[in-house]
Amino acid sequence: MKGEVAAKVPAKVDVEAGKTYFWCACGKSANQPFCDGSHRGSEFAPMKWTAEENATKFFCQCKQSANAPFCDGSHKAV
Ligand code: FES
């Protein structure tokens, strides 16, 4: 099951090596693309991801990506 569409564009984030991120899977977070706890009480849980290196990443915000937590272009079809 996919979350609700939070935005139809990915979020560009400069991630830091060794830092862990919790991607919002439900689409309800006010702190997109990351979890703020708004999924509580639903069947959704955030996806944990740890950066291996400093990089610029595009996180999915439409929540329909097959390559979560990253954008795979699915937002073009929502
Ligand atoms: Fe969406 Fe936590 S707020 S997964």
Side-chain angles (χ1 to χ4, degrees):
M1 174 162 186
K2 306 278 189 179
E4 61 185 58
V5 178
K8 294 184 180 179
V9 290
K12 183 180 175 186
V13 179
D14 292 326
V15 299
E16 293 173 38
K19 189 172 171 186
T20 296
Y21 298 84
F22 290 87
W23 176 75
C24 168
C26 75
K28 294 185 186 301
S29 173
N31 185 36
Q32 292 295 333
F34 303 118
C35 175
D36 73 350
S38 296
H39 63 273
R40 282 194 201 103
S42 76
E43 61 199 287
F44 288 97
M47 180 180 288
K48 183 179 174 183
W49 177 80
T50 302
E52 292 180 353
E53 57 188 2
N54 291 339
T56 299
K57 294 288 192 181
F58 291 86
F59 285 86
C60 171
Q61 298 198 106
C62 77
K63 311 306 176 184
Q64 314 305 305
S65 175
N67 186 37
F70 305 111
C71 176
D72 73 349
S74 292
H75 60 271
K76 295 187 188 113
V78 297

